[in-house]
Amino acid sequence: MKRARPCAPPKPRRAAGLWAVPSPAAWAAAALPAEHRGRPITWSSWTPAPVITHYSSACSWCGDAGPCEMAGGRQGSPQSVTDPLRRYVAYRCPYCQEMTAYEHVGTDLEQIAHYKSRAPKGSRR
């Protein structure tokens, strides 16, 4: 008498010349800071940053060629003495979503927020 063999699942077959192509990576965008020093910031929408010819627009983290995106923000009022106008600017990489926000302090930029990317370092190089 023959013993019954247990059923094994069928082996996967690879069709000739067909390969699955992974979709491009999508990294979650970091949120812009909603407030700074206890006061709300109003942000504009993201737009492509101007390209400066003597400055590399490549992302320092992932290596994306750019250009990066920027958003402007403001807080306060130019006529107010108690709540003076403050201006902000934020830059982010459209590929890996690394983002840094700055406050305009005179002619300098003071960093107020930085969100590190979850993309692998050098993933676009």
Side-chain angles (χ1 to χ4, degrees):
M1 185 161 87
K2 285 186 171 182
R3 294 178 90 177
R5 294 177 69 191
C7 292
K11 291 184 179 179
R13 293 184 184 178
R14 200 179 295 168
L18 297 177
W19 291 92
V21 178
S23 62
W27 313 106
L32 290 164
E35 63 177 29
H36 182 62
R37 296 185 183 160
R39 299 190 184 216
I41 302 173
T42 304
W43 291 97
S44 67
S45 61
W46 290 103
T47 58
V51 177
I52 302 171
T53 57
H54 61 279
Y55 178 76
S56 173
S57 62
C59 176
S60 60
W61 180 256
C62 71
D64 185 54
C68 65
E69 296 177 327
M70 67 182 289
R74 59 180 280 163
Q75 178 187 74
S77 171
Q79 286 88 23
S80 176
V81 176
T82 58
D83 188 16
L85 179 67
R86 291 194 172 109
R87 296 215 173 258
Y88 300 89
V89 65
Y91 297 98
R92 78 172 177 188
C93 172
Y95 177 74
C96 71
Q97 302 299 321
E98 181 177 31
M99 192 264 302
T100 308
Y102 302 93
E103 177 184 6
H104 285 275
V105 180
T107 57
D108 296 330
L109 293 176
E110 181 181 301
Q111 183 175 327
I112 62 168
H114 178 77
Y115 296 99
K116 199 68 164 166
S117 172
R118 293 184 180 173
K121 178 130 175 108
S123 58
R124 276 290 247 216
R125 291 178 195 226

